[in-house]
Amino acid sequence: MDFALSGKVAVITGGSEGIGACTARLLAREGCDVAIGARREEPLQATASAIQQESGRVPLALSTDVTSAEDCAGLVRATIERFGGIDILINNAGASSAQPFEQLDDEVWQADLDLKLFGAVRMARQCLPSMRERGGGRVINVLNIGAKQPGPGSMPTTVSRAAGLALTKALSRDVAADNVLVNAVCIGSIKSAQWGRFREQRAPEATEAEFLAQVGRNIPLGRIGETEEAANLIVFLASGAASYITGTAINVDGGASGTW
Ligand SMILES: NC(=O)c1ccc[n+]([C@@H]2O[C@H](COP(=O)([O-])OP(=O)(O)OC[C@H]3O[C@@H](n4cnc5c(N)ncnc54)[C@H](OP(=O)(O)O)[C@@H]3O)[C@@H](O)[C@H]2O)c1
């Protein structure tokens, strides 16, 4: 299969760790120039070095908070200055936030929407002109399976992610004529730093392996997913092999979700 990714330019928010870092590494291996944005400098630089070692490409790694419109504009501007334009945007920055409804105040709601919905809106707004200029592009929104099937105690994240689903579909229609394809990936349970934090909160007495095995028992495929298993789908959707797919949301969840 020809992924036709060589020479493309990709921006990945939350590209310093977990699914975002793995996606950036795979895209660079396929011949993309990559720009990664996240807040903390140390993991950003560690991932940038790993990408350079593996692919021989020097990525752009820029400290970016997607809740800041200025930071989003800065990341896009720096990417265009360094690489000449943008073909692929992966809106991946995010963090889990789920509590019973009555424990949530407006501040928590607003912070979650600002990170997950507005982060994606700001980045897409900044990237679209360059994609149009280059004759097309890809936007991939990394969401959560709760966007389609919200469970109890799952707000605000499931509501922010459902807004991400609507954004994916509506934007795909607005920009289809410009050959910009917009899709979402709905993540179930994928091993990442996030799960280390969950273990500390939910089962501090368990080892990491015990905790992850316990999580895996509730998943039809019997295990938690690897970051590469989510990144593979993201790379496919970014590639020339996915040229007739837009406005859809695909689950990567080992069968956990009861919906399509
Ligand atoms: N892993 C799962 O099981 C799972 C399940 C459902 C959904 N997801 C979603 O998938 C995406 C990736 O998750 P992951 O598990 O790979 O997470 P992770 O390992 O915790 O990585 C999150 C990344 O996002 C960055 N980030 C967080 N807040 C940011 C902000 N305000 N601005 C810019 N970057 C920010 C982090 O860096 P800094 O902290 O340095 O900014 C980091 O690079 C997230 O959107 C997450 O909500 C994951």
Side-chain angles (χ1 to χ4, degrees), residues 14 16 19 39-40 64-66 92 94 161 188 190 192 195 197:
S16 62
I19 296 166
R39 293 164 303 177
R40 286 166 299 141
T64 306
D65 184 341
V66 298
N92 166 77
R161 293 318 196 178
I190 294 285
S192 72
W195 284 92
R197 293 191 290 272

Side-chain angles (χ1 to χ4, degrees), residues 74-92:
L75 176 61
V76 170
R77 198 170 44 244
T79 306
I80 294 172
E81 273 168 23
R82 170 81 77 88
F83 300 123
I86 294 171
D87 304 291
I88 298 160
L89 166 63
I90 317 288
N91 281 316
N92 166 77

Side-chain angles (χ1 to χ4, degrees), residues 24-39:
R25 291 169 74 158
L26 295 187
L27 285 170
R29 276 191 229 159
E30 291 297 324
C32 287
D33 282 313
V34 298
I36 54 175
R39 293 164 303 177

Side-chain angles (χ1 to χ4, degrees), residues 56-79:
R57 296 179 169 274
V58 184
L60 173 70
L62 194 63
S63 177
T64 306
D65 184 341
V66 298
T67 67
S68 153
E70 209 177 296
D71 278 17
C72 290
L75 176 61
V76 170
R77 198 170 44 244
T79 306

Side-chain angles (χ1 to χ4, degrees), residues 6 26 28 35 58-59 74 93 99 124 193 215 224 228 242:
S6 186
L26 295 187
V58 184
Q99 290 170 58
V215 171
I224 189 166
E228 195 154 331

Side-chain angles (χ1 to χ4, degrees), residues 13 15 19 41 49 57 75 89 92 106 117 140 177-178 198 214 240:
T13 68
I19 296 166
E41 196 60 51
S49 304
R57 296 179 169 274
L75 176 61
L89 166 63
N92 166 77
D106 284 5
L117 175 63
I140 295 150
D178 299 310
F198 292 161
Q214 190 187 321

